[in-house]
Amino acid sequence: MSTLEIKDLHVSIETEQGEKEILKGVSLVIKTGETHAIMGPNGSGKSTLASTIAGHPRYTVTSGSITLDGEDVLEMSVDERARAGLFLAMQYPVEVPGVTMTNFLRTAKTAIDGEAPALRTWTKDVKAAMDQLRIDADFAQRNVNEGFSGGEKKRVEILQLELFKPKFAVLDETDSGLDVDALKVVSEGVNRAHATGNMGTLLITHYTRILRYIKPEFVHVFVDGKVVEQGGPELADRLEDEGYDRYVAGAGSAAEPAAV
Amino acid sequence: MTAEATEKARIGAPSIAGFTEEGEQLVSSKVDHKHNDGTTVMASRAERLTSQNVADFKLPDGREEEWRFTPVRELVPLLTDGANDDDALRTVVEAPEGFQAAPLAIGQAPRATTLVPADRAAAVASANAPEALHVVVPAGAQPEEPVRVVLSGQGAGKRSNSHIVLEAGAGSKSVVIIEHEGSANHNGNVEIFVGEAAELTVVSVQLWEDDAIHLAQHDALVAKEGVYKHIAVTLGGKIVRLNSNVRFSGEQAEAELLGLYFADAGQHLEHRSFVDHNVPNCTSNVLYKGALQGAGAHTVWVGDCLIQKQAVGTDSYEKNQNLVLTDGCRADSVPNLEIETGLIAGAGHASSTGRFDDEHLFYLMARGIPEDVARRLVVRGFLNEIVQKIKVPALEERLTEAIESELTAGEN
Ligand SMILES: Nc1ncnc2c1ncn2[C@@H]1O[C@H](COP(=O)(O)OP(=O)(O)OP(=O)(O)O)[C@@H](O)[C@H]1O
Ligand SMILES: [Mg+2]
């Protein structure tokens, strides 16, 4: 049983107009086996939270903490965080020229496990995982994300989730850009990973439609860099009906508008 | 996301779509153009001056089409007609018994029957290399080990001109590796004959020291059913400019011109290829891949491909891909495809320059891969496509190591 704990996290970025605070005190605790959904309007800071957990250099933590089983995540480099068991399925997966998927997957797996995977079983595992996510076999020979469609990129993120077996997965709008069938296939992948009982999930989304397939125990409403309300799955249903207007209007009294 | 892909084609370079069978439009494209920078675009590669006579070539000033990317001012010593310095270059040949023939004097056939200089550097080399190394792979021979020619420059600025003639006899199958190391101001011509149904791979490896300058013209003539592969591997040298050219003397012949280069800060590495489809039913494939890293790293690829009117049934493709690893690099990439007949199996070109940037690095590191491994992964993966085609395990290993040490050098 592992715990990922985010405490009063404040995060800023450098902009042309100077430093801008985006996360304004976020606290969350996620345990193995739990699924937490974070829902919030555009620009509320959801991706900022996800990228900060992964350690993207653009984001500066000005105060607060992130710990994994008590270990200070903020002290770790990006690759150390991944090896410690954190995984970020990105909203916009990056195309990496020159590196085939096969080569990439094997290198990453080796880095995460600290030893090379057994060649015979690995090749089989990769193929089986690709099959289940309906990823064509010839993707293995293509460069990482290069020329993949938006939906294909998302599937490949979940492929990695299944192969790397992280302790905590942060899924940043994995549902956006997916058609209904792909949404189902991808959700099944997440559920398979979850069913191992060794993973906690932080699911970032705008829409409730993915929650038909992936069932969160906790829903957090995120507005203007903060969690403004927490609840169970019923909160998601309410958001579906009412939208974020209520919260945004509330936040609108603050100096900065929350949505862009 | 800063990954960019560019497709450049020369003005007037035709695409296959909409071609008439006779290729009429093309002929009308053979008018002189001007580049924006005032240099002249050649109407057709076929009209390029070739001559054995140094005086026929003016000293270039950098505005000529074929010199416009090159730092010509630094080349004056090499482009000046004059004899070799004493002990400028040492040559060691490793070849099976009987492969090394007597040297060829200027004008002694087959020397100069295939290689006619296409620029001043090659003309200077021809005129100032009184004895050409002559290697002949006998007809039908299939030596197990590659033939190795090691050329060691004996000091920066030392003037060296050389001419090498390689003949692959009919039905033979062989690999010739020409290695360049040390330092010199080197003009090197290589003239290659691929006999009927012979298979010859020529690997020219440039592992020069940082202060070497190397200008080269490698010309091959491929006979009926011959299979020719030329691989330029350029990692070292201050300025390297290598022209790899091929034409055919019989049908059903194949040519593959490949290249791999890695330019560091201050290096100018230029590769030019010219496939002259002068005979029907031949195949060509050109692929050059390069990585650039460090301030002032400059690479150039110019790929000329001419499909002459009589060369029906031609199948040709050319591609250049560059990977830019840091700021301050420049990769020029110019495919020139001229097609004078529509009766061909295929013709195409592609050129792309991609950037490896912090977002790529972040992505790989976010999957647990340490930074140095991530950089190596990208470059090795990218260049491996060429390395794998060398098919000489010992050399592949050495080159992989050399590429990795280029990378580590760039990290410090
Ligand atoms: N480089 C930047 N310069 C200025 N503002 C920025 C920059 N990068 C991010 N922001 C701002 O930070 C805020 C949070 O962005 P973030 O991407 O975290 O939002 P999000 O909740 O993920 O939105 P979405 O739902 O659209 O994905 C936004 O207001 C955004 O405009
Ligand atoms: Mg986002």
Side-chain angles (χ1 to χ4, degrees):
Chain A
M1 167 73 89
S2 289
T3 307
L4 178 66
E5 186 166 7
I6 298 165
K7 247 197 229 156
D8 194 27
L9 191 70
H10 290 253
V11 172
S12 299
I13 55 161
E14 278 307 321
T15 71
E16 275 151 28
Q17 291 81 36
E19 200 168 291
K20 180 177 171 191
E21 182 166 68
I22 297 181
L23 298 190
K24 304 170 180 174
V26 178
S27 297
L28 273 179
V29 181
I30 308 166
K31 295 197 161 73
T32 302
E34 296 177 353
T35 299
H36 293 243
I38 290 193
M39 305 186 67
N42 289 132
S44 54
K46 303 181 302 295
S47 291
T48 302
L49 176 63
S51 299
T52 305
I53 295 172
H56 194 291
R58 179 146 45 118
Y59 303 95
T60 313
V61 176
T62 51
S63 68
S65 67
I66 304 177
T67 55
L68 174 60
D69 295 329
E71 297 279 329
D72 187 353
V73 170
L74 297 177
E75 277 299 303
M76 302 178 194
S77 61
V78 175
D79 51 317
E80 283 168 348
R81 294 179 196 204
R83 294 199 295 273
L86 299 178
F87 179 86
L88 168 62
M90 297 188 197
Q91 183 173 2
Y92 303 109
V94 181
E95 303 192 2
V96 186
V99 185
T100 61
M101 285 297 302
T102 303
N103 199 359
F104 162 68
L105 293 173
R106 196 185 334 103
T107 307
K109 183 68 176 169
T110 304
I112 288 166
D113 290 2
E115 58 175 355
L119 215 97
R120 254 184 338 144
T121 50
W122 174 246
T123 315
K124 251 193 286 169
D125 291 350
V126 173
K127 211 186 152 314
M130 285 175 68
D131 275 353
Q132 281 180 315
L133 288 163
R134 315 256 158 77
I135 299 169
D136 209 89
D138 60 46
F139 273 64
Q141 294 317 314
R142 290 172 63 178
N143 288 336
V144 176
N145 291 324
E146 210 171 71
F148 295 10
S149 74
E152 288 163 350
K153 284 179 183 166
K154 297 299 177 75
R155 289 181 209 220
V156 164
E157 294 291 281
I158 301 308
L159 172 69
Q160 295 170 52
L161 172 74
E162 289 203 72
L163 292 170
F164 300 159
K165 307 191 190 323
K167 290 185 180 140
F168 289 98
V170 180
L171 311 179
D172 190 359
E173 293 198 24
T174 299
D175 53 338
S176 62
L178 295 181
D179 60 36
V180 190
D181 293 336
L183 182 65
K184 215 170 138 222
V185 164
V186 159
S187 301
E188 283 165 7
V190 175
N191 288 335
R192 276 193 301 273
H194 205 78
T196 61
N198 300 317
M199 188 177 88
T201 306
L202 185 61
L203 178 74
I204 294 173
T205 182
H206 283 292
Y207 308 108
T208 47
R209 60 173 198 158
I210 193 173
L211 305 182
R212 260 179 264 152
Y213 304 102
I214 301 175
K215 298 285 177 201
E217 290 90 10
F218 307 93
V219 174
H220 311 265
V221 182
F222 211 73
V223 175
D224 192 24
K226 276 192 299 267
V227 176
V228 294
E229 189 166 3
Q230 316 199 39
E234 75 289 345
L235 183 52
D237 297 331
R238 231 176 81 202
L239 287 172
E240 172 100 310
D241 297 336
E242 299 172 12
Y244 300 111
D245 280 357
R246 201 156 50 94
Y247 307 105
V248 177
S253 59
E256 286 171 281
V260 275
Chain B
M1 260 142 284
T2 51
E4 55 169 324
T6 50
E7 285 275 343
K8 284 190 218 163
R10 176 176 167 171
I11 321 142
S15 67
I16 277 296
F19 249 64
T20 64
E21 289 200 341
E22 301 302 319
E24 300 287 354
Q25 303 102 312
L26 288 177
V27 181
S28 68
S29 78
K30 281 189 181 176
V31 278
D32 280 355
H33 301 283
K34 287 264 183 207
H35 287 300
N36 295 337
D37 56 6
T39 56
T40 307
V41 180
M42 290 230 322
S44 167
R45 178 64 206 239
E47 289 158 22
R48 176 87 53 96
L49 170 70
T50 57
S51 168
Q52 294 288 358
N53 191 354
V54 177
D56 288 344
F57 298 96
K58 279 192 325 214
L59 205 60
D61 63 14
R63 288 197 294 166
E64 301 78 5
E65 170 65 20
E66 67 268 38
W67 291 104
R68 66 191 179 104
F69 297 110
T70 322
V72 285
R73 246 180 281 155
E74 298 183 58
L75 302 181
V76 173
L78 289 88
L79 298 176
T80 307
D81 201 4
N84 293 342
D85 287 336
D86 285 342
D87 193 28
L89 189 80
R90 292 192 190 159
T91 306
V92 176
V93 181
E94 283 174 25
E97 196 61 44
F99 278 34
Q100 193 176 339
L104 297 169
I106 293 172
Q108 182 184 351
R111 177 173 170 175
T113 58
T114 279
L115 190 153
V116 183
D119 65 23
R120 185 169 167 111
V124 169
S126 278
N128 294 286
E131 297 198 323
L133 173 69
H134 188 196
V135 174
V136 181
V137 180
Q142 302 203 354
E144 247 161 57
E145 293 295 312
V147 173
R148 262 182 97 211
V149 178
V150 181
L151 306 177
S152 317
Q154 297 300 302
K158 283 205 176 187
R159 186 194 168 81
S160 139
N161 295 287
S162 79
H163 194 109
I164 296 174
V165 176
L166 305 174
E167 285 187 83
S172 65
K173 189 174 174 182
S174 58
V175 177
V176 177
I177 303 169
I178 304 172
E179 294 179 32
H180 302 87
E181 57 178 42
S183 191
N185 280 350
H186 180 65
N187 276 332
N189 289 344
V190 179
E191 187 164 3
I192 299 144
F193 298 84
V194 181
E196 258 187 49
E199 276 180 47
L200 174 67
T201 297
V202 176
V203 191
S204 180
V205 185
Q206 288 66 246
L207 287 173
W208 295 109
E209 280 160 26
D210 291 343
D211 46 12
I213 301 181
H214 179 193
L215 305 177
Q217 181 174 333
H218 295 187
D219 276 24
L221 181 68
V222 187
K224 185 177 160 220
E225 290 169 18
V227 178
Y228 171 61
K229 185 150 66 165
H230 182 278
I231 309 174
V233 180
T234 307
L235 303 176
K238 180 167 189 261
I239 301 172
V240 174
R241 177 178 140 117
L242 194 156
N243 294 279
S244 174
N245 308 323
V246 62
R247 32 183 235 285
F248 305 93
S249 62
E251 298 193 18
Q252 311 296 345
E254 291 170 30
E256 202 169 12
L257 306 183
L258 307 170
L260 177 171
Y261 46 87
F262 194 135
D264 295 318
Q267 275 187 307
H268 174 96
L269 306 181
E270 177 168 344
H271 295 84
R272 290 170 173 260
S273 54
F274 175 34
V275 182
D276 185 355
H277 278 282
N278 55 332
V279 160
N281 300 316
C282 292
T283 306
S284 70
N285 181 39
V286 177
L287 176 63
Y288 279 75
K289 295 184 92 165
L292 297 86
Q293 157 176 288
H298 186 196
T299 66
V300 178
W301 174 77
V302 178
D304 292 336
C305 178
L306 170 64
I307 302 175
Q308 297 196 28
K309 191 154 188 162
Q310 69 275 20
V312 297
T314 291
D315 197 352
S316 88
Y317 191 72
E318 56 173 0
K319 181 159 90 172
N320 175 228
Q321 290 179 298
N322 296 296
L323 179 65
V324 176
L325 297 170
T326 64
D327 288 336
C329 305
R330 178 172 157 187
D332 287 299
S333 180
V334 186
N336 291 322
L337 183 54
E338 292 179 74
I339 310 174
E340 296 178 346
T341 171
L343 298 172
I344 56 173
H349 63 75
S351 158
S352 71
T353 297
R355 252 194 88 89
F356 181 65
D357 65 18
D358 292 346
E359 289 301 322
H360 300 138
L361 192 61
F362 174 71
Y363 189 83
L364 296 175
M365 289 178 73
R367 290 350 182 193
I369 302 172
E371 176 167 354
D372 55 336
V373 178
R375 283 189 184 280
R376 255 180 259 153
L377 182 69
V378 168
V379 176
R380 197 194 297 145
F382 178 73
L383 296 179
N384 231 358
E385 188 178 355
I386 303 290
V387 175
Q388 281 165 355
K389 295 195 176 191
I390 297 174
K391 299 209 164 82
V392 180
L395 183 59
E396 285 180 23
E397 218 167 276
R398 265 183 63 207
L399 293 177
T400 304
E401 267 169 43
I403 291 167
E404 312 252 307
S405 75
E406 292 274 325
L407 275 166
T408 6
E411 275 160 23
N412 303 324

